[in-house]
Structure formats: structure tokens, C-alpha cells
Amino acid sequence: MALLKLTKPLPRSDKHISLAKLPVIPPKAGLKCLVGGWGQMFDGGPRTAKLLYIDVTLISAKECDKQLNVKEIDFLCAIDPDPFTHQNPCIGDLGAPLMHDDVVYGIVSLLMGCGKGDWPSVYVDVYASVKWIEGKIISNGGTTLSVPIKMEFFTGSFLLFVIIYKICVN
């Protein structure tokens, strides 16, 4: 995970630009989320020319361990529960956000199946890093907001993704 420090603030009056929110509570299994991206539309297929998204549902660490046979889960896992689609992030989607109501709960980190089978997709758990993120913001001359939902979070190319996502959705 990386944070970007902008030299100039983004215009907050632009309807196409919105800052992602940090989670204030850990996500729970069953939470329905969106994952957007410009990755391949299916394994070995072409990349999309426009932003696409998939619907996924978070599963428990125990269920993820059972399906992926891993003993330590420091990540979030999600699956498309629709047996007809079984969508997962594909090549080109790494770093894309796992979002629910403009809150970023995860970042695509491991590609499993690219839409094949019942494999869960794996995400960096943003909530687990909130204190680190806030510490970096403060130590680099920023301050965190005193409102319940902090809005000062950007990771890698994620800033550009959120801006473009808002433009495409609105």
C-alpha cells in the first residue's frame, strides 16, 4: 500500500471528483460491494475500453481459508454469489477499490480465477491499515478530519481511479 501526497488540493466543487472514505468499522461477511476496473473481461480476453464493475459479497476469513487453503488471512475475500456469472477481478484490475457506499474497504491484490469457478477474490484490508494511513497523513504535514468518516485516503493509482470512476458513474 502506498499513499500519495498531492502538491495542490483537488477542487471540491467539481461534481466529478470525490474523495474516497476510510472505513470506521471493520467490514463484515455478507457486505455487498462493487469492484470497478479496466481489466480483462474474462481470462485471456480483451481489456475493456470503459470502466466496468462487478458485484461481490464479502465472505468470512474462515470461509476464505477453507476455499483457498491458507492459514493466515490478513486480507478480505469476496465472491460473486450469482452462479451464472462468477465474476472476479481480472488482469488489469490490481489496485482497484472494493467499495460500499463510497467507503473503500479493500484494494484488489490477488487475482483468483478471473471469473472461472467459485474462487473468492482477495483484497488488501483497508480497515486494518487505517491507523497507519492516519499516522502517515499526520506525520507528513496533514491532519485527519474530526468527522466520523475520514476522507483523506489515496493509494497508488487509486486517486486517478476514483476520479475517473466518478466521471463515468455520474
Side-chain angles (χ1 to χ4, degrees):
M1 185 178 296
L3 298 176
L4 294 174
K5 182 176 182 180
L6 303 176
T7 57
K8 296 179 183 177
L10 293 172
R12 297 211 179 187
S13 60
D14 188 318
K15 71 177 185 173
H16 298 297
I17 298 176
S18 178
L19 301 179
K21 299 172 186 169
L22 287 173
V24 294
I25 58 172
K28 304 239 185 275
L31 183 68
K32 296 182 186 313
C33 297
L34 295 175
V35 181
W38 287 275
Q40 291 179 339
M41 294 183 279
F42 53 89
D43 192 21
R47 287 190 182 203
T48 179
K50 63 180 185 173
L51 178 66
L52 296 178
Y53 70 91
I54 59 174
D55 296 304
V56 295
T57 302
L58 291 180
I59 61 173
S60 70
K62 184 176 181 178
E63 181 63 26
C64 191
D65 175 27
K66 180 180 166 186
Q67 290 192 36
L68 297 180
N69 196 26
V70 291
K71 297 302 171 205
E72 290 186 34
I73 298 288
D74 293 331
F75 299 95
L76 297 175
C77 292
I79 195 162
D80 176 1
D82 186 335
F84 296 106
T85 56
H86 288 300
Q87 298 177 66
N88 276 330
C90 288
I91 295 169
D93 292 327
L94 289 173
L98 171 79
M99 300 179 76
H100 176 83
D101 289 340
D102 290 333
V103 177
V104 179
Y105 285 101
I107 301 167
V108 176
S109 65
L110 184 61
L111 303 173
M112 299 295 296
C114 196
K116 288 184 178 179
D118 297 325
W119 297 104
S121 45
V122 181
Y123 306 82
V124 171
D125 184 352
V126 173
Y127 178 78
S129 300
V130 166
K131 290 195 185 309
W132 177 82
I133 294 166
E134 290 174 343
K136 292 297 178 187
I137 291 169
I138 292 169
S139 68
N140 283 290
T143 59
T144 58
L145 300 175
S146 59
V147 295
I149 300 175
K150 311 221 181 325
M151 299 197 264
E152 307 199 12
F153 172 74
F154 300 101
T155 63
S157 62
F158 182 69
L159 170 64
L160 180 60
F161 181 90
V162 171
I163 293 169
I164 294 172
Y165 176 79
K166 288 295 181 180
I167 291 170
C168 293
V169 170
N170 294 324

